[in-house]
């Protein structure tokens, strides 16, 4: 009888130890980070796979370049399947700003690993497709075969046919475009690192070369020149696109009104009395949102 009690007591202790070990293992597994879903299919191809809901909650906190994003967890993600201009080359900065306008502060879906990821926005559009369609990027020559590669190539074909961005002709590149925004409150100097001012401060900067972030409310045309104004009054800050420059793009007024813009140049008093910056080239004007 005594031996049976000893054995029963030993069994209870062993059972308790086993349960405790299983609990510890479960906690440790729960602590492990969830890897990004793989794009590699069973056949070896790089085919994007459906994402679980949790994979679509990656918040973009910074954009380092057209093809490089930083997520909330601090992870740097490189966009797969595209090539972009190196820093300092034409459209490198514009591409970065386009990526910022599209993805910064957004929750995105990420497929693949950090060195080659496909990033989808909340509306389901692939970031790579939008950048290529705007002329900010091209399909990489070594892009892996995938379900989306045909879509990327179609976007590149259309951008090339329209002479957008990287595909601009010698007569003047057509500027890449993004969907207009209806949120002027989001257009402020803090969008751009460094010393920038708002349109209200331009009047106090006459004679100085400055960078201004503003949201044009209207565009007026006179003798072929187009003026983008931050408000309807002549005293509001404006950007003058000379007739010769305005003629190189189709309807520049419609292209830029209701867009968040960054312009760099010397502030002078316009013929109507308001502070104005007159463009010498479209390189001095960037679309932020």
């Amino acid at each position: 009888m005594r031996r049976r009690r000893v054995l029963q007591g030993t069994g209870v202790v062993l059972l308790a130890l086993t349960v405790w070990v299983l609990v510890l293992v479960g906690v440790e597994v729960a602590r492990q980070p969830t890897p990004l879903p793989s794009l590699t299919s069973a056949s070896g191809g790089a085919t994007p796979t459906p994402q679980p809901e949790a994979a679509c909650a990656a918040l973009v906190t910074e954009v380092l370049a057209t093809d490089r994003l930083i997520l909330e967890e601090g992870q740097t993600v490189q966009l797969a399947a595209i090539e972009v201009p190196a820093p300092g080359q034409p459209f490198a900065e514009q591409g970065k700003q386009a990526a910022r306008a599209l993805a910064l502060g957004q929750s995105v879906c990420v497929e693949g690993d950090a060195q080659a990821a496909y990033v989808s926005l909340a509306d389901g559009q692939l970031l790579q497709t939008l950048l290529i369609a705007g002329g900010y990027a091209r399909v990489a020559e070594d892009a892996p075969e995938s379900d989306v590669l045909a879509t990327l190539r179609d976007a590149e074909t259309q951008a090339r046919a329209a002479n957008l961005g990287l595909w601009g002709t010698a007569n003047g590149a057509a500027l890449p475009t993004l969907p207009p925004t209806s949120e002027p409150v989001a257009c402020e100097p803090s969008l751009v690192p460094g010393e920038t001012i708002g349109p209200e401060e331009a009047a106090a900067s006459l004679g100085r070369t400055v960078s201004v972030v503003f949201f044009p409310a209207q565009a007026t045309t006179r003798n072929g020149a187009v003026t983008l104004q931050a408000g309807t009054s002549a005293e509001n800050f404006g950007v003058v696109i000379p007739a010769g420059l305005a003629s190189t793009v189709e309807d520049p007024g419609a292209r830029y009104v209701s867009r968040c813009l960054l312009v760099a140049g010397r502030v002078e008093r316009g013929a109507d009395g308001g502070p104005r910056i007159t463009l010498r080239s479209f390189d001095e004007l960037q679309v932020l949102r």
Side-chain angles (χ1 to χ4, degrees):
M1 177 69 71
R2 181 179 181 183
R3 183 177 180 183
R4 179 179 299 173
R5 290 177 179 174
V6 171
L7 290 175
Q8 289 175 344
T10 302
V12 170
V13 171
L14 289 175
L15 178 61
L17 288 173
T18 301
V19 172
W20 178 247
V21 169
L22 290 175
V23 169
L24 289 178
V25 171
V27 170
E28 184 62 29
V29 169
R31 288 177 177 172
Q32 296 301 314
T34 302
L36 292 175
S38 173
L39 285 177
T40 305
S41 65
S43 61
T47 303
T49 56
Q51 294 298 292
E53 186 173 341
C56 294
L59 181 66
V60 178
T61 57
E62 187 53 85
V63 176
L64 299 177
T66 309
D67 59 348
R68 280 188 296 147
L69 316 175
I70 295 182
L71 304 182
E72 187 175 22
E73 298 80 4
Q75 183 181 34
T76 299
V77 171
Q78 183 82 30
L79 298 185
I82 65 173
E83 293 178 353
V84 302
Q89 292 183 340
F91 290 103
E93 183 61 25
Q94 290 94 326
K96 175 182 175 179
Q97 296 301 334
R100 283 175 61 88
L102 289 165
L104 185 61
Q106 303 297 316
S107 291
V108 298
C109 301
V110 180
E111 294 183 70
D113 57 47
Q115 300 303 314
Y118 289 85
V119 174
S120 299
L121 304 178
D123 60 4
Q125 296 189 86
L126 191 67
L127 181 56
Q128 280 95 325
T129 303
L130 295 175
L131 293 171
I132 290 174
Y136 300 105
R138 68 186 73 194
V139 180
E141 293 183 1
D142 59 350
E145 290 297 328
S146 68
D147 291 344
V148 301
L149 191 57
T151 301
L152 298 182
R153 286 174 174 157
D154 286 344
E156 181 178 281
T157 298
Q158 294 178 27
R160 187 194 293 262
N163 292 326
L164 288 177
L166 301 174
W167 311 109
T169 65
N171 295 326
L175 294 180
T177 60
L178 290 173
T181 174
S182 59
E183 301 178 3
V185 68
C187 186
E188 53 192 26
S190 61
L191 287 173
V192 182
E195 295 185 8
T196 57
I197 64 174
E200 300 83 2
E201 304 170 78
S205 301
L206 291 174
R208 295 177 51 209
T209 298
V210 296
S211 295
V212 184
V213 173
F214 78 111
F215 189 90
Q218 69 170 10
T220 58
T221 302
R222 183 176 181 181
N223 297 328
V226 177
T227 300
L228 308 169
Q229 288 183 245
T232 56
S233 170
E235 297 180 357
N236 289 119
F237 171 76
V239 169
V240 179
I241 307 175
L245 190 59
S247 65
T248 64
V249 299
E250 182 179 356
D251 199 352
R255 182 185 294 271
Y256 292 117
V257 168
S258 299
R259 309 293 283 277
C260 185
L261 304 178
L262 169 67
V263 61
R266 184 181 176 87
V267 181
E268 303 289 356
R269 194 173 297 280
D272 52 7
R276 301 285 182 263
I277 288 179
T278 300
L279 294 185
R280 294 172 299 178
S281 75
F282 279 115
D283 290 339
E284 299 172 335
L285 187 66
Q286 295 181 27
V287 177
L288 300 181
R289 291 183 181 272

